[in-house]
Amino acid sequence: MPENIPVPDSFPLLIGAQVEAHALIVRRQTCDEVAAMLRASGETSAANLVEEDRDFTELSRSLAAVPASEPEAQHAADCGAFDCRCGCALAQRCQDCGRCACWRAECCAQAPVARARGEERKSALRRLLDGFGTAMLTELRETTAAAEEAALRDVVARRAGLLAPGDGRRYETAVFEATDSKLGMGHADWRGQDVELYAPGQDGPNETADWDDTVLSRALGALAELLHPEEGARLTIVLGQVDDAP
């Protein structure tokens, strides 16, 4: 038997998660050896592709181990009115107190927990990304920005659907306008005042709303930081179904 081939008795006994970890190590070693052989024979592009595939596979598996976000709450059809669901004192001016539970998008009592969970995820991601090159980090940033914009648009659509006038009319879109309220910041801000609401099939706005809402303002501010709109720019949001909104 050749010297470089281990005998069966020398294989370690792997249990549970150890199997996947060992397979990942073997895969990395194999990719390193193949890349080295290709590079030695002058196949630089092929070697780079092997290394990129190795890094992407390891990143994908590592991201799967990052703590997940809190799942969205599912409210019952008979959602009760005046359900604060956080137990805070009225002096805190919690926006959820005295409202129906289906209004609730976030809760003051959950904010510290959500903040700690967010810091934990950021630390885990930073440890994963420290070893990657600039090309892959650029691709990740562009992909993440697109996903972030889609998620923020969804937040705005759900909140706007809850804030829309309850006059029995179904509104299809809401249009926000950007104003230059941050001098020197390099971009304007979407605002919750004079929001145009359009019913299906209507060319002109059916309603103009002024919304002073913390959750909506935060989502619009995050969108402005991401998109950097100029003054007068318009943001069209397709409203989601209010019944499905958390």
Side-chain angles (χ1 to χ4, degrees):
M1 181 177 293
E3 296 182 358
N4 60 341
I5 300 179
V7 296
D9 294 340
S10 67
F11 286 105
L13 178 62
L14 303 176
I15 301 175
Q18 295 176 339
V19 177
E20 185 175 355
H22 183 71
L24 195 60
I25 293 175
V26 172
R27 187 181 188 282
R28 166 171 274 274
Q29 292 174 343
T30 302
C31 288
D32 290 343
E33 292 175 1
V34 171
M37 292 171 56
L38 290 171
R39 208 175 295 281
S41 61
E43 300 289 341
T44 304
S45 298
N48 290 339
L49 287 175
V50 171
E51 291 174 345
E52 289 176 4
D53 177 70
R54 174 202 64 197
D55 293 341
F56 182 78
T57 300
E58 293 182 359
L59 176 63
S60 300
R61 294 190 182 186
S62 299
L63 287 175
V66 175
S69 302
E70 189 75 12
E72 293 184 353
Q74 298 295 324
H75 299 305
D78 57 348
C79 176
F82 308 115
D83 185 0
C84 178
R85 307 191 67 180
C86 67
C88 68
L90 294 179
Q92 290 181 257
R93 297 182 179 274
C94 174
Q95 65 181 12
D96 294 317
C97 287
R99 298 188 188 276
C100 172
C102 283
W103 174 278
R104 178 178 177 274
E106 62 180 30
C107 173
C108 60
Q110 289 183 337
V113 177
R115 190 159 45 246
R117 186 180 291 113
E119 291 301 324
E120 179 185 1
R121 290 197 297 267
K122 287 180 182 178
S123 298
L125 285 170
R126 180 58 189 268
R127 289 193 298 270
L128 291 174
L129 298 176
D130 276 344
F132 292 95
T134 56
M136 179 169 285
L137 288 175
T138 298
E139 293 174 0
L140 283 171
R141 184 171 61 249
E142 293 172 349
T143 305
T144 302
E148 183 180 4
E149 179 182 350
L152 287 171
R153 282 178 174 269
D154 184 64
V155 171
V156 173
R158 286 170 176 267
R159 197 61 175 180
L162 290 170
L163 293 167
D167 54 5
R169 177 179 293 173
R170 185 172 67 88
Y171 295 101
E172 185 176 53
T173 57
V175 179
F176 299 82
E177 186 175 356
T179 59
D180 194 6
S181 58
K182 286 187 176 180
L183 297 176
M185 296 300 293
H187 64 83
D189 262 346
W190 306 115
R191 65 175 187 171
Q193 288 75 39
D194 298 326
V195 181
E196 297 177 353
L197 298 175
Y198 293 78
Q202 297 296 318
D203 295 330
N206 304 94
E207 184 84 20
T208 301
D210 289 337
W211 292 328
D212 182 13
D213 181 77
T214 303
V215 177
L216 180 64
S217 297
R218 186 181 300 120
L220 290 174
L223 260 177
E225 292 287 345
L226 187 66
L227 301 178
H228 287 73
E230 297 181 355
E231 184 175 9
R234 291 164 67 82
L235 173 68
T236 301
I237 296 292
V238 178
L239 301 181
Q241 294 295 325
V242 176
D243 293 340
D244 298 332

